[in-house]
Amino acid sequence: MNPLEESGRGSRCIDPCVVVIFGATGDLTGRRLAPALYNLGREGLLPPNFALVGFARREKSDTQFRDELKKDISTYSRVKPLDIPFWNNFQEQIFYHRSNFDDDAGYIALAGKLKAIDGRYATRGNRIFYLSVQPKYFPMIIEKLDQFGLIYSPSDTRWSRVIIEKPFGHDASSAAKLQSDIRKHLDETQTYRIDHYLGKETVQNLLVFRFANSIFESLWNYRHVDHVQITVAEDIGIAGRGHFFEEEGLLRDVVQNHMMQLLSLVAMEPPVSLSAGAIRDEKVKVLQSLRPLQESDFEHHVIRGQYVPGFIDGKPALGYTQEKDVSPTSKMETYVAMRLFIDNWRWAGVPFYLRAGKRLPKRVTEIAVVFKDAPGVLFQKNGQKNDPNVLAIRIQPDEGISMKINCKVPGPSSPIQPVKMDFRYGSYFGQSPPEAYERLIWDCILGDSTLFARSDEVAKSWEFFTPLLQFWERQGEIKLVSYVAGSWGPLAADAMLAQEQKAWRMP
Ligand code: BG6
């Protein structure tokens, strides 16, 4: 059953299974995956017959692994403090498996361990393999899992599914190669390409907001929308991931995946149903309609930036090239702003402005739909201009939706002032939404891939960005501009909008 159709979180039937995390001693496991599994368990959403196996290269015992996860969960879980009675039971189902990713003996031993777990916890042979490892290991791990009988045929009564972390590929050709490598071992129905933005409640709500309300759809097009701004700002830097960032950069880390998901959901046509296929078909059409970027766009409508030392919240912040594991002469980007167009009937001529960056003043992800000005005959005399209406969808934090409208200030002189109508999830529903990883791991256990990226989506997105990446490879040094940590990015990004008589919103 589709996650958007179900009536309640607990209403779907769930199979017993074992989740095996590859890269279990990494940052993602501690910060996101372990807290997600813990919260799913605490809320009664994991199957009663369940086990977790951490697969990694470092030497450690089950007890050490459990203790480390306990510490991480206590620090990073959205619900605190740790529920000790629940944890004491839950940890009994957690195991550690030491092996190198290329070691056949490690996979043979893993198969034996999983069989024993099936016997002890009645997990019935069902498996999720979560690949939270450097992308270069994806094909090898999948090949070994297949070789040692850990991937079943899709028609087997038991199931095996593989969750693949991003980035899925490095550009169009490497993504195609990765896809063809894994296709030899995995069916598309067993492949779950994760983009955790799709697991965010507010991202899922985009579809509900657009297609369960009649008032917005008639305005959602080139006739009424002046432009759209999508912002993914983070105050954190690269968070100790120097090696990763030096390889990938911001465009591959955030824009090619998370931002393209937001863009597709905002711009897509209504799907014919809520099935995974129907929704993903419409998202792909948006990516297919992106106007290819030309050399002149690379020059004038894409800004590539890197942060230099500054202050965030009054505290000094290092520049990118001073960060650990980063070359002092690195030319890698930590900020991207760009203008793009979707050449279809709905969005003809409407610019979409995207910006994303590390070490900006605050963490905020927002989609702002800026509407065209009202005719200027009544309230815009003497050159006075009213603010445009803006519908701002706040993805995080303070999840919510606000609408900016113009209003008369009480009193005889009638000045006009923009005001905000505000809806906030937290205050309205009295709870903060679950973490994206909870939703996605749960959907994978249920076998629902709606909120995962399909191979053609990933391919289209890479097709769009690869010419830009190649241009940067040739011209990267020249095209890189700096911005002070704690600022809203390079001045060139402001100038790009100013040329078109627009300005970035202050989210
Ligand atoms: C990850 C990126 O995919 O998303 C990180 O690799 C980024 O660089 C993170 O910080 C942002 O996720 P969220 O959920 O905090 O917006």
Side-chain angles (χ1 to χ4, degrees):
M1 197 201 250
N2 183 285
L4 296 160
E5 288 175 315
E6 47 112 5
S7 51
R9 268 191 116 196
S11 62
R12 297 153 87 190
C13 154
I14 192 153
D15 289 338
C17 66
V18 184
V19 172
V20 181
I21 301 179
F22 283 78
T25 50
D27 194 53
L28 187 74
T29 305
R31 281 174 181 267
R32 309 258 183 156
L33 306 183
L37 286 162
Y38 161 82
N39 281 315
L40 284 172
R42 231 181 23 87
E43 291 187 7
L45 294 169
L46 287 179
N49 303 333
F50 171 83
L52 169 64
V53 176
F55 185 121
R57 290 171 286 197
R58 286 182 216 159
E59 201 62 67
K60 68 180 84 222
S61 65
D62 287 344
T63 314
Q64 280 169 323
F65 183 53
R66 290 169 186 171
D67 288 347
E68 282 172 16
L69 292 191
K70 182 178 177 188
K71 213 164 131 212
D72 287 333
I73 293 167
S74 306
T75 313
Y76 299 115
S77 165
R78 70 185 160 87
V79 186
K80 294 193 181 79
L82 188 77
D83 178 342
I84 301 285
F86 170 76
W87 169 257
N88 287 343
N89 282 329
F90 188 60
Q91 67 162 0
E92 296 289 316
Q93 297 151 266
I94 300 179
F95 306 93
Y96 186 73
H97 186 75
R98 199 218 78 79
S99 171
N100 288 340
F101 299 139
D102 60 350
D103 181 3
D104 288 1
Y107 290 83
I108 295 167
L110 176 69
K113 188 172 270 177
L114 293 179
K115 209 157 172 215
I117 290 174
D118 285 340
R120 193 159 146 208
Y121 295 95
T123 36
R124 295 207 217 138
N126 298 325
R127 322 263 186 248
I128 290 178
F129 299 104
Y130 196 121
L131 308 193
S132 170
V133 297
Q134 284 178 43
K136 64 179 177 199
Y137 294 118
F138 295 156
M140 180 209 289
I141 295 175
I142 293 169
E143 187 190 331
K144 299 268 179 221
L145 288 172
D146 191 18
Q147 184 182 347
F148 294 101
L150 291 160
I151 307 276
Y152 313 133
S153 138
S155 58
D156 202 303
T157 50
R158 303 162 301 170
W159 50 257
S160 49
R161 300 175 184 142
V162 180
I163 302 183
I164 303 177
E165 259 300 331
K166 57 164 267 284
F168 192 89
H170 195 71
D171 54 19
S173 62
S174 61
K177 163 94 171 62
L178 176 58
Q179 175 58 20
S180 90
D181 285 348
I182 65 173
R183 201 50 192 262
K184 293 179 202 143
H185 309 282
L186 275 184
D187 188 71
E188 180 66 20
T189 57
Q190 301 171 309
T191 313
Y192 289 71
R193 292 173 203 80
I194 206 161
D195 182 316
H196 78 278
Y197 263 56
L198 286 173
K200 291 181 190 280
E201 284 283 327
T202 33
V203 174
Q204 291 160 44
N205 192 44
L206 279 169
L207 288 188
V208 178
F209 178 77
R210 289 193 52 202
F211 302 127
N213 294 299
S214 58
I215 56 171
F216 299 111
E217 185 49 23
S218 54
L219 303 177
W220 217 255
N221 56 51
Y222 73 96
R223 283 186 216 97
H224 301 281
V225 175
D226 181 76
H227 70 279
V228 177
Q229 295 186 14
I230 305 182
T231 301
V232 177
E234 293 183 275
D235 51 353
I236 57 166
I238 52 168
R241 297 189 305 155
H243 289 302
F244 170 84
F245 230 79
E246 284 285 89
E247 284 283 305
E248 308 296 340
L250 201 273
L251 187 133
R252 292 184 172 96
D253 186 36
V254 170
V255 183
Q256 182 271 339
N257 33 67
H258 302 329
M259 292 195 98
M260 286 297 108
Q261 291 294 347
L262 298 179
L263 176 81
S264 315
L265 288 166
V266 159
M268 70 189 254
E269 294 301 316
V272 292
S273 76
L274 290 176
S275 73
I279 292 175
R280 298 198 289 186
D281 285 349
E282 295 306 330
K283 283 165 61 194
V284 172
K285 285 188 207 159
V286 174
L287 300 174
Q288 279 168 338
S289 316
L290 286 173
R291 184 186 301 169
L293 296 171
Q294 309 294 328
E295 193 102 7
S296 63
D297 295 309
F298 303 155
E299 292 283 353
H300 305 296
H301 299 117
V302 179
I303 308 297
R304 181 172 191 253
Q306 186 190 81
Y307 60 85
V308 295
F311 286 86
I312 295 197
D313 268 347
K315 294 192 203 100
L318 295 177
Y320 175 69
T321 53
Q322 281 97 51
E323 301 271 14
K324 185 167 166 281
D325 302 324
V326 170
S327 153
T329 56
S330 174
K331 300 294 170 217
M332 189 48 91
E333 84 280 355
T334 59
Y335 176 99
V336 176
M338 64 195 304
R339 184 191 76 177
L340 50 84
F341 287 97
I342 300 170
D343 280 342
N344 64 14
W345 188 270
R346 184 189 287 268
W347 294 116
V350 178
F352 284 72
Y353 299 102
L354 273 46
R355 68 175 158 168
K358 300 279 182 191
R359 285 283 188 231
L360 300 183
K362 60 179 182 178
R363 175 174 183 249
V364 57
T365 300
E366 184 199 80
I367 300 167
V369 180
V370 181
F371 290 92
K372 291 195 166 156
D373 290 336
V377 288
L378 297 177
F379 295 113
Q380 299 176 2
K381 293 196 173 143
N382 310 326
Q384 178 203 350
K385 214 168 167 302
N386 295 328
D387 277 25
N389 297 125
V390 178
L391 180 81
I393 303 172
R394 179 75 83 104
I395 304 294
Q396 65 187 15
D398 304 331
E399 293 82 356
I401 296 169
S402 76
M403 180 81 202
K404 189 161 86 170
I405 52 174
N406 289 309
C407 225
K408 175 184 175 307
V409 177
S413 65
S414 289
I416 292 176
Q417 187 177 306
V419 296
K420 265 201 320 192
M421 293 198 299
D422 226 352
F423 153 72
R424 284 168 193 251
Y425 278 80
S427 48
Y428 192 86
F429 292 113
Q431 58 181 43
S432 54
E435 283 290 333
Y437 280 94
E438 291 174 40
R439 168 94 236 187
L440 295 173
I441 294 173
W442 193 58
D443 279 353
C444 182
I445 300 177
L446 289 160
D448 190 317
S449 55
T450 313
L451 301 177
F452 291 81
R454 202 167 62 184
S455 63
D456 50 349
E457 273 180 74
V458 176
K460 282 284 158 221
S461 175
W462 277 126
E463 250 171 55
F464 177 72
F465 285 111
T466 297
L468 174 63
L469 288 164
Q470 288 167 345
F471 175 79
W472 282 351
E473 231 164 76
R474 297 192 301 270
Q475 306 259 338
E477 193 160 339
I478 306 165
K479 296 317 299 175
L480 194 72
V481 287
S482 59
Y483 63 100
V484 177
S487 71
W488 274 105
L491 295 175
D494 297 340
M496 177 175 88
L497 262 70
Q499 273 168 17
E500 300 178 12
Q501 288 76 52
K502 302 187 202 310
W504 292 107
R505 261 174 60 81
M506 202 51 80

